Amino acid sequence: MLLSIEENMSIVALLSGLLLAIYGQATSAYPMDGGAEIPLYIGGLLPFSGGGWNGIGLLPGMNLALEQINRRKDVLPGYQLRMITNDTQCNPELSSRMLLDYVYREPQKIMIFDGDCSRGSEAIAGTAHYWNLISISATASTPALSNRVKYPRFYRTCPTELSLNPVRVAIMKEFGWTRVATIHSKNEVFSLTVDDLASELKEANITLISSESFVNNPKNQLESLKKQDVKIIVAFMYAHEARKVFCEASKLNMTGEGYVWMLVGWYQNKWWDEYFGRFDCTKEELTEAVGRSNYFAIKGQELSSTDEITIGGGTVSEYDEYVKNLVNNDPDSLRYTIEYAFGYDTVWAIALALNGSIDVLKTTTFSDGRMRRLEDFTYDDKEMMMVFFESLAQVSFTGVTGLVSFENGERVGITIIRQLREDLLEQRIGDFNPAHVQDPLRWTSDIMWPGGKVPLDHTPEEPEVNITIAAFHVTVGQTTFITMCALAGAGILLSLGFLVFNIKFRKTRYVKLSSPNLNNLIITGGMIVYTSIFFNGVDTQLVSLNFKAVCCQLNVWMLSVGFVLSFGSMFSKTWRVYQVAVLQTPTREVVTDVLMYTMVVVLLLIDVGILTAWQVIDPMKLVLKELYTMDDPTIPNQLISAKIELCESGYITYWLHALYIFKGILFILGAFLVWETRKVMQ
């Protein structure tokens, strides 16, 4: 049933009132007057209405933490921590506007408590740091917020969605599923998670059959999964989108026996029964479809499984009992309180960070030559904000959700696995602790399977299909290679003819005037470049692997050295014409052949120096790269994998740039000399 804003706020009032009765004078979520202690204000941004996510469940933990902190004499002595909250309605634009309202309205806020949905959290974290405000989220698991460039002053006490992908893969491996698919709504939050999951699956040798995405109606995507015989489906979407997916899936009989669904774990209990809109399914049909699915819900641990004494002095079971008593164990009300643990731990993290900053502020002289107190913080004080930021990174305590600490602003903790049962309530059946390297996945309860047995990842009636992969090399065609070699050979023979002619008639006046020795170098360089074609076109089907690796090196050397010999010789000849015919000097300079040969040798030495450094530091190697994989049109159940042989090195781009710059300068100077000598023969 759709709850109105008034009904939501009545639950808030009930929870706060009961906390007051239990603990005495509770600290309100709104500013209060009176008291000798100096108030420190936290700006709270939570959605109490609107679609997608309801943050009302955070309030019991937030209020309880505030009360305990303000009663403690060893935490923020002389201060009283208060919180002002506003309803963001899970709307990014409204979240940004309310953040600005906090900034421009008294009282001064010292930090931002973010209980918004992921879209709202991105808006808050992307803006708050401009006013030197740290935002710490209790609920946002989107991977996008891990970007420290875009969100430099962001922390969170809930694990990121990316940290849950190893859990999903571990479950698949546990039950031997090797064929899975994903479906997600087109949203950056889910797209990033799906991309990461695809990498995790590939590393675990699990085939991702299909990765479907939808905008409004998922009907076509689900039909595609059905046709591909997908049985294990990982879904990433908001609750209102999940209702559409399960409605369409029920029509295709994809929610009962033989199918496994894995959902994100941060939906409210009975999420399919909330804000029910216009669907092709009735509420009863949708409830039946979801109930048949017995889906897995995967989420960061909400309540610690140990009975350790927490930072507040009580045990987890005691706190859990308090919250259940607040709503008289009413299941419909409990769905709004399941997040209280993250609200509790987040407020404590803020308090301990501020408490740890007190001594630092007392002993630190800032750039203006003064020290600071907590109440001195302003939105222009980046130095003071950095004290809070670094203090928050050092926070470590036992909270209701377990050990709370941060690494690069991220919370990495235990993941819990829940399963929907016949009573339409999710029950914890296992957990995943990355600290237990050998066996991180642990089952704590029996798993209920539709039909009483573990589903297969394919339809059992169909015979298993063995897919074979036929690899082939994409090479230069033999006809093309032979043709090019023949043309290169003809070029070499023609060059040899010119060389013989040049040597035989070297004393003839016109030949002698053209510097026959430099002509010989030009011809030799051309023949070397022609020869590189033979080495460039061969592949391992014609020669051995070792010889092809040698060809990688020879090809580079021949192309580069041949070019320098030919172009360098032409450059030196043009330079002599420029010196003699263009430059007007009092004395006529004689440019000898020795000087021209020296110029060619210098250019050659520069080229050889670059090539030698490349050869020694980062030699070329033969690598085999996959171009594409496709179905074999002639052989059933066979894939064709096209591969190509390439000559590469680790820093090939930098070496090529060095050669291009050297030869580019030579080209530019050569073009200049040609332009300047263009009228010499006229």
Side-chain angles (χ1 to χ4, degrees):
M1 181 172 62
L2 177 64
L3 293 178
S4 66
I5 298 177
E6 290 77 16
E7 290 172 317
N8 284 336
M9 296 312 296
S10 67
I11 294 176
V12 176
L14 171 64
L15 299 179
S16 300
L18 287 174
L19 282 171
L20 179 63
I22 293 172
Y23 291 102
Q25 184 179 359
T27 301
S28 169
Y30 300 92
M32 302 182 299
D33 297 325
E37 296 173 322
I38 300 172
L40 299 174
Y41 291 95
I42 303 170
L45 294 170
L46 302 86
F48 299 138
S49 60
W53 165 252
N54 194 316
I56 199 170
L58 295 166
L59 287 177
M62 293 162 56
N63 284 338
L64 178 56
L66 286 169
E67 169 62 19
Q68 292 177 346
I69 291 163
N70 289 329
R71 292 171 66 91
R72 291 270 290 266
K73 301 301 181 184
D74 58 334
V75 179
L76 295 176
Y79 295 98
Q80 186 178 74
L81 195 60
R82 299 178 182 178
M83 185 176 295
I84 302 172
T85 59
N86 260 315
D87 178 12
T88 66
Q89 299 180 21
C90 199
N91 184 312
E93 291 79 11
L94 187 57
S95 300
S96 298
R97 191 173 73 185
M98 289 182 171
L99 175 64
L100 293 177
D101 189 66
Y102 279 161
V103 171
Y104 290 107
R105 286 181 184 269
E106 294 291 341
Q108 169 80 43
K109 316 308 181 296
I110 199 166
M111 207 172 289
I112 297 297
F113 179 103
D114 171 15
D116 214 339
C117 56
S118 292
R119 293 172 299 169
S121 293
E122 290 182 38
I124 294 166
T127 307
H129 65 93
Y130 290 112
W131 286 273
N132 292 312
L133 280 169
I134 298 169
S135 60
I136 177 167
S137 176
T139 54
S141 59
T142 170
L145 287 167
S146 297
N147 186 339
R148 298 306 268 175
V149 175
K150 193 173 182 180
Y151 309 104
R153 302 293 176 250
F154 176 77
Y155 278 81
R156 55 179 147 198
T157 56
C158 65
T160 174
E161 200 65 41
L162 294 185
S163 68
L164 307 184
N165 279 336
V167 186
R168 298 179 176 104
V169 173
I171 294 174
M172 297 172 192
K173 294 173 72 174
E174 177 80 3
F175 299 110
W177 298 326
T178 58
R179 300 176 70 256
V180 302
T182 65
I183 182 169
H184 68 282
S185 62
K186 285 191 176 180
N187 185 296
E188 183 185 29
V189 175
F190 306 119
S191 298
L192 292 173
T193 307
V194 169
D195 291 343
D196 180 76
L197 178 60
S199 300
E200 295 271 358
L201 292 173
K202 184 176 181 180
E203 188 174 338
N205 293 321
I206 297 175
T207 302
L208 182 61
I209 300 298
S210 181
S211 183
E212 303 286 345
S213 62
F214 67 93
V215 177
N216 293 315
N217 192 337
K219 179 180 178 181
N220 293 336
Q221 288 74 19
L222 289 168
E223 288 177 347
S224 175
L225 296 182
K226 179 82 171 180
K227 290 177 182 178
Q228 296 178 79
D229 192 35
V230 172
K231 300 296 183 182
I232 315 300
I233 305 170
V234 188
F236 301 94
M237 60 204 66
Y238 291 109
H240 68 281
E241 297 166 323
R243 289 191 282 274
K244 295 180 183 179
V245 167
F246 273 84
C247 175
E248 294 296 335
S250 66
K251 299 175 185 178
L252 298 170
N253 295 318
M254 295 177 66
T255 62
E257 182 179 348
Y259 286 89
V260 177
W261 287 80
M262 293 186 192
L263 307 183
V264 294
W266 34 261
Y267 298 160
Q268 304 285 3
N269 282 337
K270 295 189 177 179
W271 49 269
W272 58 89
D273 197 29
E274 196 175 330
Y275 305 111
F276 197 85
R278 298 179 62 183
F279 291 93
D280 292 335
C281 302
T282 65
K283 181 189 293 187
E284 291 72 21
E285 289 172 340
L286 184 58
T287 301
E288 181 184 0
V290 175
R292 289 199 312 266
S293 68
N294 290 98
Y295 64 74
F296 290 112
I298 300 168
K299 184 184 179 182
Q301 178 175 259
E302 293 165 346
L303 295 176
S304 174
S305 57
T306 67
D307 214 26
E308 293 180 275
I309 300 297
T310 66
I311 185 71
T315 64
V316 174
S317 57
E318 289 173 345
Y319 292 145
D320 197 38
E321 190 64 27
Y322 290 149
V323 174
K324 289 179 180 178
N325 289 337
L326 292 178
V327 292
N328 297 318
N329 287 297
D330 175 46
D332 287 334
S333 299
L334 280 173
R335 70 173 124 170
Y336 292 104
T337 61
I338 59 174
E339 300 293 336
Y340 82 89
F342 285 108
Y344 179 90
D345 286 351
T346 303
V347 173
W348 264 106
I350 293 173
L352 293 177
L354 294 175
N355 189 67
S357 302
I358 294 175
D359 290 337
V360 178
L361 295 174
K362 288 180 180 179
T363 58
T364 300
T365 302
F366 292 88
S367 59
D368 60 0
R370 300 171 56 193
M371 296 182 182
R372 301 277 198 276
R373 298 170 299 174
L374 291 179
E375 62 268 30
D376 295 330
F377 175 72
T378 66
Y379 301 128
D380 296 323
D381 199 334
K382 183 175 181 180
E383 292 176 291
M384 199 167 176
M385 178 275 295
M386 287 305 300
V387 172
F388 300 157
F389 188 78
E390 293 168 4
S391 180
L392 193 53
Q394 303 301 317
V395 164
S396 180
F397 65 93
T398 301
V400 180
T401 62
L403 178 65
V404 179
S405 59
F406 302 99
E407 182 177 346
N408 294 325
E410 302 285 358
R411 167 80 179 276
V412 179
I414 296 174
T415 303
I416 62 171
I417 306 164
R418 295 197 296 252
Q419 187 184 31
L420 188 71
R421 295 304 175 91
E422 293 179 353
D423 58 0
L424 297 181
L425 291 175
E426 295 177 4
Q427 178 179 322
R428 182 170 178 166
I429 59 171
D431 55 50
F432 184 93
N433 190 345
H436 301 159
V437 179
Q438 297 299 325
D439 190 18
L441 183 62
R442 180 176 67 103
W443 300 110
T444 57
S445 177
D446 293 334
I447 304 174
M448 305 298 294
W449 297 109
K453 57 183 179 180
V454 179
L456 300 176
D457 58 10
H458 61 281
T459 303
E461 289 78 16
E462 296 180 0
E464 292 191 21
V465 178
N466 294 320
I467 304 296
T468 59
I469 299 178
F472 77 95
H473 291 180
V474 178
T475 62
V476 178
Q478 286 193 0
T479 302
T480 303
F481 179 60
I482 293 173
T483 302
M484 296 306 297
C485 288
L487 291 174
I492 293 173
L493 292 176
L494 183 62
S495 299
L496 285 172
F498 290 146
L499 184 62
V500 170
F501 175 86
N502 198 61
I503 294 173
K504 183 176 180 180
F505 298 100
R506 64 186 182 278
K507 295 182 180 180
T508 303
R509 181 172 177 271
Y510 291 109
V511 175
K512 187 175 182 179
L513 287 174
S514 68
S515 300
N517 290 329
L518 288 174
N519 292 342
N520 294 340
L521 289 179
I522 294 173
I523 296 169
T524 302
M527 288 192 292
I528 293 174
V529 172
Y530 279 131
T531 306
S532 69
I533 294 176
F534 296 96
F535 296 104
N536 192 38
V538 297
D539 55 63
T540 52
Q541 294 180 336
L542 300 174
V543 298
S544 67
L545 185 66
N546 292 334
F547 185 75
K548 175 60 178 178
V550 173
C551 290
C552 289
Q553 309 287 348
L554 290 175
N555 184 50
V556 175
W557 277 82
M558 287 188 169
L559 276 174
S560 191
V561 171
F563 170 84
V564 169
L565 283 176
S566 294
F567 190 83
S569 299
M570 287 189 288
F571 178 86
S572 64
K573 290 174 65 174
T574 309
W575 177 77
R576 180 164 66 177
V577 174
Y578 175 78
Q579 286 286 103
V580 173
V582 177
L583 286 182
Q584 300 298 323
T585 58
T587 59
R588 183 180 181 87
E589 293 189 15
V590 178
V591 181
T592 64
D593 285 352
V594 174
L595 184 59
M596 295 170 65
Y597 301 149
T598 302
M599 182 180 296
V600 175
V601 170
V602 170
L603 295 176
L604 185 61
L605 287 175
I606 294 174
D607 200 59
V608 170
I610 296 173
L611 292 173
T612 302
W614 187 356
Q615 178 78 31
V616 174
I617 298 173
D618 186 31
M620 295 280 285
K621 296 179 182 178
L622 181 67
V623 296
L624 193 64
K625 286 197 173 182
E626 184 175 345
L627 291 177
Y628 58 85
T629 301
M630 60 177 289
D631 292 328
D632 192 328
T634 58
I635 303 177
N637 305 324
Q638 178 166 289
L639 298 177
I640 298 174
S641 177
K643 299 182 179 181
I644 188 170
E645 295 171 357
L646 296 175
C647 296
E648 288 188 353
S649 65
Y651 301 97
I652 187 171
T653 302
Y654 299 105
W655 297 112
L656 289 177
H657 281 170
L659 290 175
Y660 294 157
I661 290 171
F662 166 55
K663 291 176 172 56
I665 293 173
L666 201 58
F667 264 127
I668 293 171
L669 293 176
F672 169 77
L673 294 177
V674 169
W675 178 259
E676 290 294 317
T677 58
R678 67 190 184 280
K679 297 181 180 180
V680 170
M681 298 302 295
Q682 293 181 358

